[in-house]
Amino acid sequence: MVLQTILTLIILSQLRKTLKTAGLLSKWDKLIWTGVFLCIALIVLNSILKENVQIAIWLSHALFFSLLYLIFTQKEFLSAKPLIYALLPLTAINFIEDVVKAVDHDFYKSTEDYFGTAVMFAVVWMIAMLIINNKQKKELENERLKNEEKEKEYKITETLKAALEVQVKERTAELTRQKEELEQTLNELKSAQSQLIQSEKMASLGELTAGIAHEIQNPLNFVNNFSEVSKELLDEMKAEMDMGNGEAARDLADDVIQNLEKINHHGKRADAIVKGMLQHSRASSNEKEPVDINALCDEYLRLSYHGLRAKDKSFNATLKTDFDDSIKKINIVPQDVGRVIMNLLTNAFYAVTEKKVDMIAAGLKYEPSVSIITKKVPEGVEIRVCDNGKGIPEEIKEKIFQPFFTTKPTGKGTGLGLSLSYDIITKGHNGELKVETKENDSENTGTTFIISLPE
Amino acid sequence: MKILVVDDETDVQMLFTQRFRSEIRNKEMEFAFAFSGEEAIEYMEGHENEAVLILSDINMPGMSGLELLKHIKLKYEKPPPVVMMITAYGDDENYNEAMKLGADDFLTKPVDFPKLKEKLKTQLI
């Protein structure tokens, strides 16, 4: 009977332990302690009462079975089941033994040996089960630890994730701010660029103005002179008519007609120059129109030459033109391509001037020469602007089309001329702008810019 | 004496022949024309024995009027021909350069023809 109570105690303590680790103890703690006190009370009761008083035995059995009942009905106690399985045979035999002992003491006496053997087997069973249980429990414990570890890792990952998300948010905000800043800077740069393009245009207009003034002066002089002369001729004609010299009057009339034609011609010439100037200063409309390339080249050659002459009186160069008459009109934006031609010519004049200075210093003979050549090619038209200046050093040849690159002293060039020219030809006209240059070649130094325009 | 007019504008020929028509008619003056500095030198070489007065523009493509002036004054020493310069740019630099090179006169465009006529007449006498 003591055995039964002790087993009950073992189960209770085991149960308490498992409940504690599962965190369910608070609900059952009272009941378990009650059971423990009952067990102790029963043991005490049993030692006070003698062997023949059965009440304590049955009470302990009842206590055990009510515990058994609880274990099989309550989900929380599931963990105690293996222990019950281990102990069940022993308790069952104990119970049967007690029952048999109570019902028929003689029969019990005669079968006592069998009960002893059964108890032995039950003990063996118990030990085996306990060992297995222990093993399983250890495995379970391991698994639980592993799960806990995983849980921990998961929690750490979660924390890291949260921290990371905060970081990402911060970074995103920072990047958005930077993006906005960059966008603003870009806009500022764009407006600065358009201002620079405008100022480059104005600079080239300034170069043009002197050329235009000279170009316009000549036709105006002719208009004035021919009209003055015509007046004199008409006075003479009247006199001849008064004298009756019809033949002489007729000749004079022919002269006047010729003069009027000249006046008209030079008036138109001045008109075309003014129109060209207006076109140049006007914001580019980007409207392409059929243009006579040879006439355009000739016009801008004169304008840029006289423009430079007006600024630098000592400047002089041999101008050569070689125009291919087979070129038909091609579709271009005349003021844009005109600007490119003028820019290339201005550069060419600059190059020969530089060289002239060097050659004079060295006491050598030098004939500055700038030429403009047009040629029909299978793909379209080629315009070559050549000079016999110093040439472009190889190391800067690659850079000349870059914006703001200039070899001129500060204030003399914006560094935008060639880069704008490049854009006008490539982007604006699907053409090509190339450069060929020879430096330090005693025979033919110089630079040639080649504009290729598709038909 | 012949007057050689050097200018890259071809219409000056017609202008001069009309402006000086009475002088030409009366054989007071005789004109020749060259349309570039190079052409003027060619003319000079072809008319070595002729006394010539040169009336030259300064701004011309190729050989400029000043270079022509220099060339003439160096080559034809005795007696050096009279060279009058005409330019659209009546600035000091051009003027000084022309004078240094030995120009006999310096006129600015637009040309005052009555004044030129007087000057030519005094030179021809």
Side-chain angles (χ1 to χ4, degrees):
Chain A
M1 142 357 2
V2 183
L3 179 71
Q4 200 80 336
T5 328
I6 289 165
L7 290 178
T8 310
L9 268 173
I10 292 170
I11 292 168
L12 280 171
S13 78
Q14 188 65 34
L15 201 58
R16 192 169 179 275
K17 228 159 102 188
T18 50
L19 282 172
K20 200 175 176 180
T21 44
L24 295 162
L25 192 59
S26 55
K27 194 178 162 191
W28 298 101
D29 208 22
K30 243 182 175 173
L31 201 68
I32 287 166
W33 281 118
T34 318
V36 171
F37 285 127
L38 277 173
C39 288
I40 295 164
L42 278 172
I43 292 166
V44 173
L45 192 70
N46 195 48
S47 59
I48 297 164
L49 299 171
K50 293 296 164 200
E51 182 81 10
N52 49 356
V53 182
Q54 302 271 305
I55 182 85
I57 296 168
W58 297 117
L59 275 173
S60 58
H61 278 307
L63 187 63
F64 181 79
F65 282 117
S66 43
L67 183 61
L68 207 64
Y69 172 77
L70 272 175
I71 285 169
F72 279 96
T73 51
Q74 295 300 316
K75 268 188 185 161
E76 284 98 329
F77 297 166
L78 219 65
S79 58
K81 260 188 189 171
L83 189 66
I84 298 296
Y85 289 139
L87 299 178
L88 208 55
L90 193 61
T91 50
I93 289 163
N94 196 248
F95 178 66
I96 293 164
E97 203 182 345
D98 282 344
V99 171
V100 171
K101 213 195 266 179
V103 173
D104 190 344
H105 197 76
D106 294 339
F107 181 72
Y108 170 71
K109 281 281 175 204
S110 65
T111 56
E112 205 174 1
D113 288 349
Y114 295 111
F115 277 109
T117 319
V119 167
M120 212 178 74
F121 277 118
V123 168
V124 171
W125 164 267
M126 187 189 74
I127 292 164
M129 281 306 272
L130 281 176
I131 291 168
I132 292 166
N133 275 356
N134 207 35
K135 230 183 192 171
Q136 275 179 348
K137 232 162 90 188
K138 265 184 189 162
E139 269 168 22
L140 276 172
E141 185 67 9
N142 274 344
E143 204 149 299
R144 197 181 59 79
L145 282 174
K146 260 188 207 160
N147 279 340
E148 257 174 29
E149 195 74 16
K150 267 186 195 164
E151 187 92 350
K152 251 189 215 162
E153 270 172 23
Y154 178 72
K155 268 185 190 158
I156 290 169
T157 321
E158 280 291 289
T159 335
L160 279 177
K161 211 172 114 188
L164 214 64
E165 247 158 45
V166 171
Q167 255 184 356
V168 166
K169 258 185 202 161
E170 275 171 13
R171 296 255 166 94
T172 312
E174 172 77 359
L175 283 175
T176 314
R177 201 176 55 74
Q178 279 180 352
K179 196 194 104 197
E180 275 161 12
E181 269 179 20
L182 282 174
E183 264 171 7
Q184 205 198 330
T185 315
L186 183 70
N187 283 338
E188 281 168 11
L189 277 173
K190 270 185 186 160
S191 83
Q193 187 195 31
S194 64
Q195 272 174 20
L196 274 169
I197 290 172
Q198 194 56 35
S199 71
E200 172 67 26
K201 239 183 201 178
M202 294 317 285
S204 66
L205 184 65
E207 271 162 23
L208 261 187
T209 318
I212 285 164
H214 180 266
E215 281 295 285
I216 247 171
Q217 188 68 52
N218 276 339
L220 281 180
N221 287 343
F222 279 119
V223 168
N224 289 334
N225 278 315
F226 278 120
S227 55
E228 277 171 33
V229 169
S230 295
K231 190 173 160 278
E232 289 171 20
L233 290 177
L234 285 173
D235 283 337
E236 261 182 53
M237 192 170 95
K238 272 202 289 193
E240 294 290 352
M241 279 164 88
D242 287 345
M243 287 190 286
N245 291 339
E247 192 69 22
R250 203 166 243 291
D251 286 348
L252 284 165
D254 282 342
D255 282 350
V256 173
I257 287 168
Q258 222 180 3
N259 284 358
L260 289 175
E261 274 166 6
K262 286 288 171 201
I263 289 168
N264 191 240
H265 166 76
H266 288 286
K268 276 185 182 157
R269 196 175 138 195
D271 184 62
I273 292 161
V274 172
K275 281 212 178 94
M277 182 177 72
L278 289 178
Q279 229 174 25
H280 185 86
S281 64
R282 206 182 301 145
S284 170
S285 56
N286 285 327
E287 289 278 324
K288 285 184 185 164
E289 50 185 281
V291 174
D292 179 346
I293 293 290
N294 292 341
L296 188 83
C297 289
D298 193 46
E299 185 191 346
Y300 277 92
L301 177 66
R302 296 172 75 94
L303 287 178
S304 42
Y305 179 72
H306 290 300
L308 200 74
R309 286 283 322 211
K311 275 203 290 195
D312 177 7
K313 312 296 179 313
S314 62
F315 173 76
N316 199 53
T318 308
L319 302 183
K320 290 177 195 154
T321 55
D322 183 2
F323 294 145
D324 184 344
D325 293 327
S326 69
I327 295 171
K328 293 191 186 84
K329 286 187 175 183
I330 63 165
N331 266 318
I332 54 165
V333 186
Q335 58 267 50
D336 281 356
V337 176
R339 269 173 64 200
V340 175
I341 293 168
M342 199 174 78
N343 181 255
L344 296 180
L345 284 167
T346 308
N347 287 345
F349 290 140
Y350 186 83
V352 295
T353 311
E354 291 277 285
K355 178 148 181 189
K356 196 175 184 179
V357 171
D358 288 0
M359 295 300 265
I360 286 171
L364 294 165
K365 208 170 138 53
Y366 174 62
E367 195 69 45
S369 162
V370 171
S371 47
I372 185 160
I373 299 154
T374 60
K375 202 173 148 197
K376 195 169 160 38
V377 288
E379 305 81 44
V381 175
E382 210 176 75
I383 305 167
R384 284 167 178 262
V385 176
C386 320
D387 66 63
N388 63 347
K390 287 163 86 174
I392 302 167
E394 196 60 39
E395 63 266 26
I396 64 165
K397 197 180 143 190
E398 301 296 314
K399 294 188 202 158
I400 57 168
F401 294 115
Q402 288 172 8
F404 304 111
F405 180 81
T406 180
T407 57
K408 294 180 187 171
T410 315
K412 284 263 172 115
T414 56
L416 282 174
L418 274 179
S419 103
L420 286 178
S421 297
Y422 190 80
D423 281 358
I424 288 169
I425 298 302
T426 55
K427 288 186 196 156
H429 292 85
N430 286 325
E432 274 184 275
L433 181 59
K434 284 181 293 193
V435 62
E436 284 171 5
T437 185
K438 266 190 193 149
E439 199 201 4
N440 301 326
D441 181 329
S442 55
E443 282 303 304
N444 9 281
T445 64
T447 304
T448 300
F449 280 92
I450 305 153
I451 306 169
S452 306
L453 293 169
E455 215 150 351
Chain B
M1 181 184 269
K2 239 185 200 162
I3 299 163
L4 175 63
V5 181
V6 188
D7 200 314
D8 58 322
E9 293 272 2
T10 48
D11 279 350
V12 292
Q13 178 166 12
M14 193 174 156
L15 184 66
F16 271 76
T17 45
Q18 288 198 5
R19 282 285 192 184
F20 294 94
R21 65 192 178 285
S22 59
E23 286 80 5
I24 294 167
R25 204 163 42 215
N26 303 334
K27 308 261 188 238
E28 285 174 46
M29 290 181 192
E30 204 182 333
F31 284 90
F33 296 91
F35 302 115
S36 70
E38 291 84 349
E39 237 180 83
I41 289 171
E42 220 172 278
Y43 179 91
M44 298 281 288
E45 280 163 0
H47 300 76
E48 291 270 6
N49 303 317
E50 215 173 62
V52 175
L53 184 148
I54 293 154
L55 204 58
S56 175
D57 186 23
I58 290 181
N59 296 296
M60 289 182 293
M63 183 186 242
S64 78
L66 292 174
E67 281 169 327
L68 175 67
L69 169 67
K70 192 173 165 186
H71 178 89
I72 289 167
K73 292 286 177 184
L74 282 176
K75 192 172 178 191
Y76 302 92
E77 281 179 15
K78 278 177 194 172
V82 174
V83 182
M84 297 166 85
M85 304 307 294
I86 306 175
T87 179
Y89 308 117
D91 55 274
D92 291 346
E93 212 177 305
N94 253 341
Y95 177 82
N96 293 337
E97 182 72 14
M99 287 303 153
K100 201 177 84 188
L101 291 171
D104 297 275
D105 209 335
F106 190 85
L107 306 167
T108 51
K109 284 184 180 176
V111 176
D112 183 344
F113 275 92
K115 210 170 164 185
L116 176 64
K117 214 174 270 186
E118 263 176 47
K119 281 188 175 180
L120 287 176
K121 276 178 182 164
T122 50
Q123 289 285 351
L124 292 173
I125 291 162

